[in-house]
């Protein structure tokens, strides 16, 4: 599907779920090969050039790859069926509630996520086309407010995954993108992570990023035995993608607009 329409933000789904009544900038896209996809009336990532069959390892990135290879837009964005960008500030009572229920997860500055069940109140606060266009007039990319850990990205990764994954990534960057090796060390030894593999970018930067991102991810895939990853860890390429997205954005010194994400947690249980 080649198109010259105005910019779009693709909403990634991996299961049947609530389709929010949003403006036409937002397009639902079903990721993966579950049979349920054939009963849904929206775009699927298994047409055209695609990696849909690898969804269990790449998560929403199979949809991101499909968008890259099968659309052509003035700007392109990715969000999730339960996470959406917003320019609206988090109200004080939600901040207080988060602190009370997550006393050990507070961070400097705004929290990356605004947790809410109130879709009626927060749907109008989801980033709209005019807001997106105005931001991209002044910035290269829209990203989520980064997570800021109490320890390094390397240490954080080692607590939840196999840290050898990062050793493999380092070898790929040193071999194929040596100019980025020092920046990678800064990222891994720092505490900033742009999570969720969400972004909105203008066309020129977007194409450059996609080419680099998937080149690194495919090389990582070729360097490991995917079947050795079990359970939650099978989303390995999604985890590596968050670290490499952070690397590319920082190394290229992009002008970044950081926005909080509205998180409709109840959709996860649908």
């Amino acid at each position: 599907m080649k198109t010259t329409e105005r910019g779009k933000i693709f909403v990634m789904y991996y299961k049947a779920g609530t389709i929010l009544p949003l403006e036409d900038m937002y397009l639902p896209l079903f990721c993966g090969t579950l049979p349920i996809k054939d009963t849904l009336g929206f775009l699927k990532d298994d047409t055209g050039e695609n990696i849909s069959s690898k969804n269990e390892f790449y998560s929403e990135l199979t949809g991101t790859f499909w968008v890259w290879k099968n659309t052509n837009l003035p700007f392109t964005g990715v969000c999730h069926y339960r996470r959406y960008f917003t320019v609206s500030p988090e109200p004080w009572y939600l901040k207080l509630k988060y602190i009370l229920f997550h006393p050990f997860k507070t961070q400097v500055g705004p929290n990356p996520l605004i947790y809410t069940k109130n879709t009626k109140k927060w749907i109008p606060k989801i980033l709209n086309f005019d807001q997106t266009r105005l931001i991209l007039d002044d910035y290269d990319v829209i990203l989520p407010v980064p997570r800021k850990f109490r320890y390094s990205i390397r240490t954080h990764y080692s607590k939840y995954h196999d840290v050898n994954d990062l050793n493999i990534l380092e070898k790929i960057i040193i071999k194929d993108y040596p100019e980025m090796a020092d920046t990678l060390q800064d990222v891994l030894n720092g505490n900033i992570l742009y999570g969720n593999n969400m972004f909105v970018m203008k066309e020129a930067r977007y194409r450059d990023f996609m080419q680099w991102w998937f080149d690194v991810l495919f090389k990582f895939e070729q360097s490991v035995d995917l079947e050795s990853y079990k359970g939650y860890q099978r989303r390995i390429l999604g985890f590596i993608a968050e670290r490499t997205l952070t690397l590319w954005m920082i190394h290229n010194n992009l002008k970044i607009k950081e926005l909080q994400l509205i998180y409709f947690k109840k959709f996860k249980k649908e």
Side-chain angles (χ1 to χ4, degrees):
M1 181 186 74
K2 294 291 183 181
T3 178
T4 56
E5 298 177 43
R6 70 180 192 169
K8 299 290 185 183
I9 297 177
F10 292 83
V11 186
M12 303 302 182
Y13 287 77
Y14 71 93
K15 62 180 181 178
T18 298
I19 307 295
L20 297 181
L22 302 175
E23 59 179 280
D24 64 3
M25 177 177 71
Y26 288 91
L27 282 178
L29 175 61
F30 188 88
C31 304
T33 58
L34 293 178
I36 188 68
K37 74 180 190 304
D38 295 325
T39 68
L40 304 175
F42 49 87
L43 293 172
K44 307 170 186 65
D45 74 351
D46 63 349
T47 61
E49 187 173 352
N50 71 86
I51 56 171
S52 183
S53 63
K54 298 180 180 182
N55 180 260
E56 65 175 318
F57 303 109
Y58 279 83
S59 298
E60 70 279 344
L61 292 168
T62 61
T64 304
F65 179 89
W66 183 90
V67 172
W68 171 38
K69 291 296 186 179
N70 296 281
T71 68
N72 182 14
L73 299 158
F75 67 77
T76 298
V78 171
C79 67
H80 304 158
Y81 71 97
R82 65 182 189 271
R83 298 183 184 95
Y84 297 86
F85 289 106
T86 183
V87 297
S88 298
E90 182 179 17
W92 68 267
Y93 57 87
L94 287 182
K95 290 182 182 179
L96 179 60
K97 181 179 178 181
Y98 183 86
I99 291 171
L100 291 174
F101 283 91
H102 304 87
F104 302 108
K105 289 188 177 181
T106 55
Q107 67 171 41
V108 178
N111 289 318
L113 301 175
I114 300 173
Y115 292 85
T116 181
K117 297 179 181 178
N118 192 338
T119 53
K120 183 177 181 180
K121 179 175 181 177
W122 282 90
I123 285 174
K125 299 178 185 293
I126 291 173
L127 183 71
N128 64 37
F129 177 80
D130 289 335
Q131 293 165 343
T132 304
R133 180 175 52 80
L134 287 173
I135 291 171
L136 291 178
D137 282 345
D138 293 325
Y139 292 86
D140 297 316
V141 59
I142 299 170
L143 293 177
V145 168
R147 299 178 67 185
K148 297 180 180 179
F149 299 110
R150 297 189 301 273
Y151 32 72
S152 73
I153 297 302
R154 189 187 301 274
T155 299
H156 176 266
Y157 196 93
S158 69
K159 292 168 82 71
Y160 299 99
H161 314 288
D162 183 353
V163 74
N164 187 56
D165 297 336
L166 298 183
N167 298 333
I168 295 169
L169 175 61
E170 287 176 295
K171 291 177 182 178
I172 292 169
I173 295 300
I174 290 170
K175 179 178 183 294
D176 295 305
Y177 299 97
E179 71 281 6
M180 303 181 82
D182 288 344
T183 311
L184 178 60
Q185 293 307 309
D186 292 340
V187 168
L188 296 181
N189 294 325
N191 69 334
I192 300 295
L193 180 70
Y194 289 108
N196 305 119
N197 295 319
M198 290 174 56
F199 59 84
V200 186
M201 301 181 73
K202 288 179 285 191
E203 176 69 7
R205 288 288 195 178
Y206 165 72
R207 293 284 160 184
D208 291 342
F209 174 49
M210 290 294 103
Q211 185 65 50
W212 176 87
W213 206 20
F214 281 100
D215 180 61
V216 172
L217 294 175
F218 289 155
K219 285 172 178 172
F220 183 93
E221 177 189 353
Q222 294 163 6
S223 301
V224 300
D225 175 12
L226 290 180
E227 292 304 324
S228 69
Y229 294 89
K230 306 299 181 183
Y232 175 68
Q233 302 301 330
R234 289 178 80 80
R235 299 166 59 185
I236 175 60
L237 275 306
F239 303 139
I240 294 300
E242 290 177 311
R243 280 77 190 167
T244 48
L245 179 150
T246 302
L247 167 62
W248 195 86
M249 300 297 170
I250 292 175
H251 180 79
N252 286 284
N253 197 30
L254 266 60
K255 189 176 182 182
I256 299 169
K257 178 63 175 178
E258 297 172 353
L259 295 181
Q260 286 181 284
L261 304 180
I262 302 168
Y263 184 28
F264 298 116
K265 193 171 183 179
K266 65 181 182 180
F267 292 162
K268 186 176 183 178
K269 299 179 180 179
E270 289 184 336

